[in-house]
Amino acid sequence: MQKTIRGKHSSLKLAYTAGWIDGEGSIYINRAKNKRSKNWQYILCVSTCNTDKGIIDWFKKEYAGYTTATAYKNRKYPQHQPAYQWFSTTRTAYQFLKLILPYLKVKRRQAELAIKFQERKDKEKGERSGRSLTNKQNKWRINYCQKM
């Protein structure tokens, strides 16, 4: 389970973080089938990837979320280094985007859409109950995915 973002963040730190996400980050809605119920679910995600593990660990420390590591074993490109990823989902991603929104330049529109998506989704709470989404619920979620 993700932790909630806690503590105060200086405007300098938030501006740095927003600049990083503008250049090296992704804001997207992941569409996946729930393994138990087999229903579609739509999940807000924010992520960044880098070969410097330190920056990825910093993101997790400052903004909660998860980290993963990928080792490249490609004989064609032996110089490739392992890559590390930080990602945040649902409400923690929402909190993160609300914090950095005033400082985003390139991905501002995506962040605004993502925030609206999560707010609307939280009002419904349909996916968390394990019920199938109605056609109307599926339609607006797909619409947001296409806009992103």
Side-chain angles (χ1 to χ4, degrees), residues 16-134:
Y16 173 82
T17 302
W20 185 278
I21 294 298
D22 269 340
E24 298 291 330
S26 298
I27 303 168
Y28 57 99
I29 298 167
N30 187 28
R31 180 179 184 233
K33 281 237 179 183
N34 183 303
K35 290 178 184 175
R36 286 182 294 183
S37 69
K38 306 292 186 212
N39 296 323
W40 286 109
Q41 58 186 27
Y42 298 81
I43 302 162
L44 171 61
C45 301
V46 180
S47 69
T48 188
C49 188
N50 202 275
T51 57
D52 181 350
K53 188 175 184 302
I55 190 69
I56 300 304
D57 290 341
W58 179 82
F59 266 88
K60 184 174 182 178
K61 178 180 161 262
E62 294 296 323
Y63 304 109
Y66 306 97
T67 58
T68 61
T70 305
Y72 292 104
K73 296 191 184 203
N74 187 335
R75 289 183 204 154
K76 190 173 179 183
Y77 303 103
Q79 73 277 15
H80 282 187
Q81 298 176 27
Y84 304 94
Q85 181 184 30
W86 168 84
F87 63 98
S88 183
T89 60
T90 59
R91 287 182 190 87
T92 308
Y94 169 82
Q95 291 172 346
F96 174 75
L97 290 173
K98 293 278 282 187
L99 283 173
I100 67 169
L101 183 65
Y103 306 96
L104 286 170
K105 301 289 185 220
V106 178
K107 294 191 169 95
R108 184 178 189 89
R109 186 183 145 286
Q110 281 179 281
E112 289 169 344
L113 283 170
I115 288 166
K116 286 178 186 174
F117 169 84
Q118 191 63 44
E119 287 172 347
R120 185 168 178 185
K121 187 179 161 190
D122 284 347
K123 285 181 186 175
E124 290 183 355
K125 298 181 184 172
E127 292 171 48
R128 291 182 52 153
S129 66
R131 295 187 311 247
S132 293
L133 296 173
T134 65

